[in-house]
Amino acid sequence: MSEDAIRTIVIVGGGTAGWMTAAVLSKVLGSAYTIRLVESEAIGTVGVGEGTIPHIRLFNSLLQIDETDFVRKTQGTFKLGVQFNNWGRVGDTYMHGFGNGIGQNLGLLPFHQCWIKASRAGKADDIGSYVLSSLAAPRGKFMVSANDVPQTSPLANIAYAYHFDAGLYARYLRAYSEQRGVQRTEGIVARVALDPESGHVEAIDLDNGETIRGDLFIDCSGFRGLLIEEALKTGYVAFNHWLPCDRALAVPCENVGPPTPYTRATAREAGWQWRIPLQHRTGNGYVYSSAHISDDEAAATLLKHLDGRALDDPRPLRFVTGRRKQFWNKNVVAIGLSSGFVEPLEATSIYSIQSGIMRLLSLFPRDGFSQALIDRYNTQMVFDFERIRDFLILHYHATQRDDTAFWRQCRDMSIPRELQDVITLFRDSGRFYRNGEEMFAEMSWVQVMLGQGIVPRSYHPFVDQLSDEELEGFVSGVGRIVSNCVDAMPAHQAFIDRHCRAAAP
Ligand code: FAD
């Protein structure tokens, strides 16, 4: 082994990011490396981050986590998408349901092209009626993919994610990681020692006098970025001129009724409110712009709109949307909130943790820190963050709301050129092209653009090759299949009761 070989990996922080990283590294790297994790109970974690997107199932399957055990131990529920209320206009509602395709494609034509023409003729329902997850979610239906139906059935490939208790999730992954040899140290990092020549992090000193040396440091210390920012001064690119919310208040409340298999995101006068149902409670929060509403007003608004009795006082959180200038700098890789935060609207932060870890594995350095690997990592992470950023900006910008200064600002702001191009193309004739390997699929963009009131002026000319009767028959046939499938699905609560009911906390 060369002298520069990486032997000791030190993870600073034991929130969701720290323990997700520890779990994967311990699973994949085995005993060839020493993996240490330092966290401080006195500092604590952000403790929110309870909604996910379907990619988390790949993460869990890499760890060979048993789904029912995982859902039970995290008080989890299932998530088919996000319901957006009051975004395009006050009173509007639409679902962004997960899944790889809307209805069924017709040869080269995406389904939504046929839908546009049928809809213009008044012969189609809302687009959500043709997407299994979007139709099932508001009806409170859920099941995992069936293996006793034809592969072409929508029931054979159901896209879903989870809601879970973030604290229990970190605990779950901690047990997993410690079983696989990760050494956990409780303590506060008081000082970071840098190599005077290379500027690399050499060691961290804890407040109890212990020094922990390492070769590769993973900064999972949260918003402050203890290593990536405070020690290495990497710099931050803010997105707050496009994503203006900079504060949140989070509060749990009692459950009323069965958990919905979707997150609810309700636009309010200066931001939006989330509702995430778990088995033992419901998580809520108001994400808002402090330039447009006071903290007291935001708290009053949040509490006024809870489904059940509040179980705590609202907990304040502050952030600046954006990303680090470099995600990997010298021998420090920032993962989690230390790397940036685009805001929780589509629950993408845990996905970004996941993609940071997977990219690190694929670019893992052999001996020393090659700049080529570092540059590649940074290029990919910047791409990921900016595509997600643009998707979120779409939700704020594509609005007809003019009832508050916040919404007027969002509607009137200039937006990144690439996003403008996507909107212009879709408005022209419903065309959409996915940008490289961006995370959100065509169907996500299409549902959100239509849901926010962007109506295509035209459609693909090949749709005209179908007669009006054929088109109507095709669209209504897809609708019927999706609706029959949803009828056959069990209620979300019944599915949980049967497979993964959690013990009372
Ligand atoms: P943290 O949870 O802040 O953990 C930081 C860790 O570093 C802690 O263990 C702390 O003790 C340790 N630490 C810090 N300083 C020191 C020190 N000096 N010494 C020792 N240890 C130290 N994501 C989603 O995917 N879905 C969502 O629905 C979602 N909702 C969110 C809502 C809000 C309002 C916010 C703010 C975020 C949300 N997120 C969401 C993001 C999600 O919460 C985070 O991505 C996730 O919790 C990871 O946080 P983290 O581990 O990076 O940081």
Side-chain angles (χ1 to χ4, degrees):
M1 200 183 278
S2 104
E3 252 193 20
D4 291 335
I6 286 154
R7 296 186 187 95
T8 304
I9 302 168
V10 179
I11 301 167
V12 176
T16 307
W19 285 116
M20 282 177 75
T21 307
V24 174
L25 295 188
S26 64
K27 168 81 179 158
V28 174
L29 303 183
S31 56
Y33 295 79
T34 301
I35 303 168
R36 303 197 59 176
L37 183 146
V38 182
E39 66 176 321
S40 159
E41 272 170 24
I43 294 178
T45 64
V46 161
V48 281
E50 312 202 307
T52 58
I53 56 174
H55 300 68
I56 188 147
R57 289 170 48 219
L58 287 175
F59 181 82
N60 284 357
S61 70
L62 172 69
L63 298 182
Q64 294 178 306
I65 285 176
D66 175 67
E67 181 172 75
T68 53
D69 181 59
F70 161 77
V71 171
R72 238 183 239 131
K73 291 200 177 131
T74 59
Q75 295 284 344
T77 62
F78 296 92
K79 174 179 174 187
L80 290 167
V82 184
Q83 182 186 62
F84 289 94
N85 296 325
N86 299 339
W87 283 81
R89 286 173 308 192
V90 175
D92 278 3
T93 186
Y94 74 94
M95 280 296 305
H96 164 198
F98 298 138
N100 290 330
I102 287 178
Q104 275 177 338
N105 295 339
L106 189 65
L108 284 177
L109 286 175
F111 173 81
H112 76 266
Q113 285 292 344
C114 299
W115 177 88
I116 295 169
K117 183 173 181 189
S119 170
R120 284 155 59 105
K123 304 280 186 198
D125 292 329
D126 185 273
I127 191 80
S129 302
Y130 305 89
V131 184
L132 182 86
S133 49
S134 295
L135 192 66
R139 291 201 200 163
K141 297 290 197 88
F142 180 78
M143 62 186 263
V144 299
S145 305
N147 47 24
D148 57 353
V149 295
Q151 271 309 301
T152 49
S153 165
L155 292 177
N157 190 12
I158 298 176
Y160 63 91
Y162 312 104
H163 301 121
F164 50 60
D165 180 317
L168 296 178
Y169 184 53
R171 199 183 299 169
Y172 188 89
L173 293 179
R174 174 178 162 184
Y176 180 99
S177 308
E178 288 184 318
Q179 271 167 22
R180 285 163 182 77
V182 173
Q183 301 165 30
R184 172 189 182 272
T185 304
E186 171 66 32
I188 294 182
V189 178
R191 201 179 76 89
V192 179
L194 300 184
D195 178 279
E197 264 177 40
S198 64
H200 284 209
V201 172
E202 259 181 352
I204 49 175
D205 297 332
L206 306 190
D207 61 346
N208 62 10
E210 187 181 353
T211 293
I212 298 179
R213 300 190 166 276
D215 303 311
L216 170 64
F217 286 81
I218 316 233
D219 187 347
C220 297
S221 64
F223 286 126
R224 61 188 298 191
L226 190 70
L227 307 181
I228 195 81
E229 195 56 51
E230 291 180 14
L232 296 187
K233 315 269 181 264
T234 300
Y236 198 72
V237 181
F239 299 155
N240 54 359
H241 40 297
W242 292 308
L243 296 171
C245 292
D246 58 353
R247 291 191 191 177
L249 288 161
V251 69
C253 76
E254 280 179 348
N255 281 345
V256 288
T260 56
Y262 58 89
T263 299
R264 192 170 71 192
T266 304
R268 301 252 176 259
E269 53 272 35
W272 63 280
Q273 181 167 341
W274 82 76
R275 186 198 65 175
I276 295 184
L278 307 179
Q279 291 196 39
H280 62 324
R281 61 166 172 78
T282 298
N284 306 275
Y286 187 5
V287 179
Y288 59 97
S289 155
S290 62
H292 295 90
I293 192 171
S294 71
D295 298 336
D296 287 347
E297 280 175 283
T301 304
L302 171 64
L303 293 172
K304 192 168 86 187
H305 292 100
L306 299 183
D307 288 359
R309 190 174 63 87
L311 296 172
D312 213 335
D313 292 330
R315 201 159 60 85
L317 296 143
R318 293 182 176 203
F319 53 86
V320 178
T321 53
R323 63 165 175 85
R324 287 286 160 230
K325 281 190 177 148
Q326 297 172 74
F327 294 78
W328 181 344
N329 187 4
K330 302 186 189 294
N331 64 337
V332 173
V333 180
I335 291 183
L337 296 173
S338 63
S339 70
F341 184 53
V342 283
E343 86 131 87
L345 186 55
E346 287 277 5
T348 46
S349 284
I350 292 173
Y351 163 78
S352 296
I353 294 172
Q354 186 180 337
S355 76
I357 299 169
M358 299 320 288
R359 295 215 153 109
L360 174 60
L361 285 179
S362 103
L363 295 166
F364 204 82
R366 180 157 182 274
D367 40 13
F369 289 88
S370 127
Q371 197 55 42
L373 293 179
I374 296 176
D375 289 347
R376 183 72 201 147
Y377 183 89
N378 285 327
T379 305
Q380 290 188 326
M381 291 307 290
V382 169
F383 174 82
D384 252 15
F385 257 67
E386 296 193 347
R387 294 288 64 73
I388 293 172
R389 175 201 70 190
D390 286 1
F391 188 57
L392 299 193
I393 297 171
L394 170 69
H395 297 63
Y396 284 99
H397 178 65
T399 184
Q400 293 152 60
R401 285 186 67 151
D402 59 2
D403 51 311
T404 65
F406 174 82
W407 288 106
R408 286 191 293 275
Q409 177 183 317
C410 292
R411 188 197 56 186
D412 297 340
M413 68 185 169
S414 63
I415 56 174
R417 233 205 73 212
E418 278 181 28
L419 174 59
Q420 188 58 62
D421 291 347
V422 169
I423 294 174
T424 304
L425 185 65
F426 189 75
R427 203 188 291 284
D428 177 70
S429 57
R431 317 290 167 103
F432 174 80
Y433 293 94
R434 202 150 164 254
N435 188 342
E437 289 180 3
E438 73 174 281
M439 188 195 63
F440 283 105
E442 175 178 50
M443 71 91 178
S444 291
W445 282 90
V446 168
Q447 287 181 93
V448 172
M449 285 194 277
L450 291 171
Q452 299 275 150
I454 301 175
V455 182
R457 271 188 288 266
S458 181
Y459 52 86
H460 197 292
F462 294 176
V463 179
D464 288 332
Q465 290 173 2
L466 295 178
S467 68
D468 289 350
E469 292 71 32
E470 285 169 333
L471 179 72
E472 207 185 318
F474 171 64
V475 171
S476 64
V478 170
R480 212 168 28 252
I481 291 168
V482 171
S483 169
N484 289 343
C485 287
V486 172
D487 287 345
M489 292 168 76
H492 182 216
Q493 180 72 69
F495 184 88
I496 290 174
D497 289 345
R498 176 138 189 241
H499 299 283
C500 43
R501 180 94 204 134

